[in-house]
Amino acid sequence: MGKKSKKQKDSGKRAAASVEGKELSKQQKKQLMELVTQLLQTCMVIPDGPKEYEYFVELHSIVGKIRALQDGLSCPPLDREKAIPEFLEWVRKHGVDTSAVEITSFPDCGYGLQATKDLKETDPFLTIPRKVMMTTGTAKESLLGPLIEEDQILQAMPSVVLALHVLCERRQPDSFWEPYINVLPNEYTTPLYFSPEELLQLKGSPAQSDCIKQYRNIARQYACFYRVFQTSQNAEKLPIKDCFTFDDYRWAVSTVMTRQNQIPTPDGSKITFALIPMWDMCNHCNGTITTDYNLEKDCSECFALRNFQAKEQIFIFYGARSNAELLIHNGFVYPENELDRIAIRLGISKGDPLYEQKNELLKKLGLSVLRNFYIHTGMIPVDPQLMAFLRVFCMSEENLKELNSKELSEADADRLGDIDVPVSEENEEKAWAFLQTRTALLLRAYETSEEEDIELLKKEDMNIHERLAVQLRMCEKRILKATQTYAGERKASVKGDKSETAAA
């Protein structure tokens, strides 16, 4: 599901415990605990702004020392290709009809599903029963159950539960899900695998900060659970107790991030998280969600989102995600993304003489004075929320008094966000001028131009992490440039209307 690392050909066996013959000395265990404590303390800091990247370098350095000590303790890789026949036999044995699809490796996106026959739009092509899925429910029924009951973090974070569940089952030689786990990627291309030098390729992109926050969160989780596994009685029987490595946890978290889905509980009363074997081999394209859950049959059903011919790759739609979200959570960038967008952080300074009035009006609109907004790919890059904020940001005292003196109706709120209903010519011109200037400044934050990025992508020696970073920032620059042009045209049209009015 999404692009995977190409390092999948190493053979070996999944270990039930640590690699045979590899065990840390008492001194190494003590050193490891000291590093884990240092990591946890460092994760308590939440830096912002220019120091954020330096903070990531520090975190990455501590994690590097932990990984060096744990060298040889992580699960060895397995040859995915050799594991596919056994996996297919397993899913068929447990009620999955694979007659319409086959697993194939594709040049640009790794493993995916290929149609074995012509499919028409809305034709069902895959049905997966609950009994083969890994869920938070099956985690509670496993050896993890007692720990989940006592740990408040696990109770509040189902994705973490699922990650630890996958990791425990990977260490169990007789796991029911062994055939499924054996076809999972050995590595991923999520930013959790980026080096500081590779992450530097995202300088200027708002995604860089999101990547650092994600890395910090996962590092903190790892440090917390490493300590839990060493101290909790309910962790005594866990197969990962003495071999819980950062590399394994990063792998498990990436497995869940790139593949998890939400399904109803058996009684339909709640939503739970699940890994759905076979279905999660599908890669992404533009479209609509065509997967549903049939409670009566207790299975996930997937339907073709368009016509597919035999031997053609079958794609599904993962949901409305920006390319930044796809990179961070799925490990790939989709340049053709029709729903791409870029976050821009806007705020009103407390030094603004009209701050209180603007804050009051924004509250009526359900907006805060400092928050992220989005500009979008496509013909109209500005959504109603951003349009309303821009107009309030540039609003005169007279307009603010008028709008704050009355109850704001739904129609009034809609008009403020309607791109074609200006507050006044002066306000409109200022709003578009501000957006034009802001997008220009955001473009300058990148160290390369779009044209330079295009040339960089032609290099064959660029690794996959660098390539993904360059692809993302190139997509973001296109949105910013298009928005800058659009804002300039709207500003010019306001001036043109003024000139025509004056002439009349």
Side-chain angles (χ1 to χ4, degrees):
M1 202 168 186
K3 291 187 179 178
K4 315 297 187 303
S5 172
K6 293 180 181 178
K7 300 176 182 177
Q8 308 293 353
K9 298 299 179 183
D10 296 318
S11 61
K13 258 192 172 182
R14 296 198 189 279
S18 56
V19 177
E20 188 176 356
K22 174 71 176 181
E23 188 176 344
L24 297 180
S25 66
K26 286 185 178 180
Q27 180 62 30
Q28 287 174 320
K29 288 179 180 178
K30 180 184 176 185
Q31 188 180 354
L32 184 55
M33 182 58 85
E34 288 172 353
L35 284 168
V36 166
T37 301
Q38 182 187 358
L39 179 62
L40 190 58
Q41 290 171 344
T42 306
C43 286
M44 297 302 176
V45 180
I46 308 176
D48 201 2
K51 291 187 177 180
E52 197 171 35
Y53 177 76
E54 295 173 18
Y55 171 77
F56 171 72
V57 173
E58 181 185 0
L59 268 185
H60 197 272
S61 175
I62 299 170
V63 168
K65 292 174 185 176
I66 291 172
R67 293 180 64 221
L69 270 176
Q70 294 173 335
D71 184 38
L73 286 174
S74 298
C75 297
L78 191 78
D79 191 326
R80 294 182 77 195
E81 190 172 349
K82 287 184 179 179
I84 288 174
E86 185 183 346
F87 167 68
L88 289 174
E89 183 182 341
W90 177 75
V91 292
R92 289 169 187 150
K93 177 183 174 182
H94 293 287
V96 179
D97 181 1
T98 62
S99 60
V101 299
E102 58 187 0
I103 299 173
T104 305
S105 181
F106 296 93
D108 297 326
C109 50
Y111 283 104
L113 294 187
Q114 179 174 276
T116 58
K117 61 182 181 181
D118 290 348
L119 293 170
K120 292 182 179 179
E121 185 177 346
T122 74
D123 277 356
F125 68 87
L126 202 56
T127 300
I128 312 291
R130 185 188 296 271
K131 61 185 174 183
V132 299
M133 300 179 192
M134 298 186 77
T135 68
T136 46
T138 59
K140 291 173 183 177
E141 295 167 359
S142 73
L143 291 172
L144 269 173
L147 187 63
I148 296 171
E149 283 185 22
E150 79 164 17
D151 194 282
Q152 292 183 350
I153 295 176
L154 290 178
Q155 291 168 19
M157 301 182 74
S159 293
V160 175
V161 169
L162 206 50
L164 293 176
H165 185 27
V166 171
L167 201 48
C168 283
E169 295 302 321
R170 184 175 180 178
R171 290 286 188 177
Q172 289 276 46
D174 58 347
S175 171
F176 170 73
W177 291 281
E178 183 180 5
Y180 169 57
I181 291 170
N182 287 348
V183 296
L184 292 172
N186 290 312
E187 283 189 356
Y188 293 87
T189 50
T190 61
L192 290 176
Y193 288 83
F194 282 26
S195 68
E197 294 74 25
E198 290 162 348
L199 193 65
L200 199 56
Q201 297 290 332
L202 285 176
K203 186 177 180 181
S205 167
Q208 187 188 65
S209 178
D210 293 335
C211 291
I212 293 170
K213 287 181 175 69
Q214 183 195 57
Y215 191 88
R216 171 184 167 270
N217 288 339
I218 300 310
R220 181 178 58 184
Q221 289 170 17
Y222 172 76
C224 284
F225 286 107
Y226 182 88
R227 288 156 63 108
V228 167
F229 294 155
Q230 300 306 308
T231 57
S232 173
Q233 289 185 344
N234 285 323
E236 285 295 323
K237 295 181 180 179
L238 295 181
I240 60 175
K241 178 187 183 302
D242 296 318
C243 51
F244 182 55
T245 68
F246 181 85
D247 280 358
D248 281 351
Y249 187 62
R250 175 174 62 177
W251 170 84
V253 167
S254 293
T255 294
V256 171
M257 277 197 310
T258 59
R259 311 176 99 76
Q260 73 178 349
N261 197 22
Q262 293 184 342
I263 64 169
T265 52
D267 62 3
S269 63
K270 297 177 183 177
I271 294 296
T272 189
F273 287 76
L275 296 178
I276 307 177
M278 197 71 179
W279 174 85
D280 63 6
M281 285 282 186
C282 292
N283 289 309
H284 169 80
C285 75
N286 293 315
T288 56
I289 291 175
T290 54
T291 299
D292 202 0
Y293 200 88
N294 188 322
L295 267 175
E296 285 187 14
K297 297 180 180 179
D298 204 19
C299 62
S300 176
E301 298 176 328
C302 199
F303 305 89
L305 61 77
R306 60 172 173 82
N307 294 340
F308 291 101
Q309 295 181 345
K311 301 298 180 184
E312 185 180 359
Q313 182 175 182
I314 298 173
F315 292 95
I316 63 173
F317 177 63
Y318 289 4
R321 301 177 188 176
S322 68
N323 272 320
E325 291 166 328
L326 287 173
L327 174 60
I328 293 167
H329 300 294
N330 298 89
F332 69 92
V333 174
Y334 185 51
E336 298 83 18
N337 189 353
E338 294 174 355
L339 298 173
D340 200 8
R341 61 183 188 173
I342 179 173
I344 59 171
R345 194 158 183 80
L346 299 176
I348 296 172
S349 168
K350 288 189 176 180
D352 187 327
L354 299 176
Y355 174 84
E356 293 299 334
Q357 295 96 311
K358 290 177 181 179
N359 185 29
E360 183 183 348
L361 182 53
L362 286 171
K363 282 181 179 178
K364 289 182 178 181
L365 294 168
L367 302 173
S368 61
V369 291
L370 178 65
R371 55 160 285 177
N372 282 339
F373 292 90
Y374 294 94
I375 51 176
H376 306 260
T377 191
M379 296 291 291
I380 302 176
V382 179
D383 60 33
Q385 285 192 327
L386 175 56
M387 191 72 252
F389 182 89
L390 291 172
R391 284 172 173 159
V392 173
F393 182 88
C394 299
M395 201 168 280
S396 67
E397 185 174 8
E398 182 183 352
N399 289 138
L400 286 166
K401 281 182 178 179
E402 180 187 348
L403 290 168
N404 282 330
S405 65
K406 62 178 183 179
E407 279 291 325
L408 208 62
S409 68
E410 189 176 335
D412 290 330
D414 288 344
R415 277 194 292 273
L416 278 173
D418 190 330
I419 204 165
D420 294 318
V421 184
V423 173
S424 68
E425 288 184 345
E426 180 185 8
N427 178 267
E428 200 72 357
E429 187 177 342
K430 285 181 178 179
W432 291 117
F434 174 80
L435 183 60
Q436 185 182 27
T437 302
R438 177 52 66 98
T439 49
L441 289 171
L442 291 171
L443 279 166
R444 286 179 206 158
Y446 296 92
E447 294 191 335
T448 57
S449 65
E450 181 189 342
E451 293 71 26
E452 288 171 323
D453 287 345
I454 292 171
E455 290 303 312
L456 281 171
L457 290 173
K458 293 178 182 178
K459 291 184 176 181
E460 294 184 1
D461 61 347
M462 182 177 286
N463 71 41
I464 184 62
H465 298 158
E466 293 170 333
R467 187 170 295 278
L468 288 170
V470 174
Q471 284 179 337
L472 175 62
R473 74 190 192 204
M474 189 171 71
C475 291
E476 291 176 341
K477 288 169 193 173
R478 287 176 178 170
I479 294 174
L480 288 168
K481 285 172 73 175
T483 305
Q484 185 183 14
T485 300
Y486 182 83
E489 290 171 352
R490 296 290 299 211
K491 182 181 74 173
S493 70
V494 175
K495 286 184 176 180
D497 291 343
K498 278 185 179 180
S499 300
E500 288 175 15
T501 303

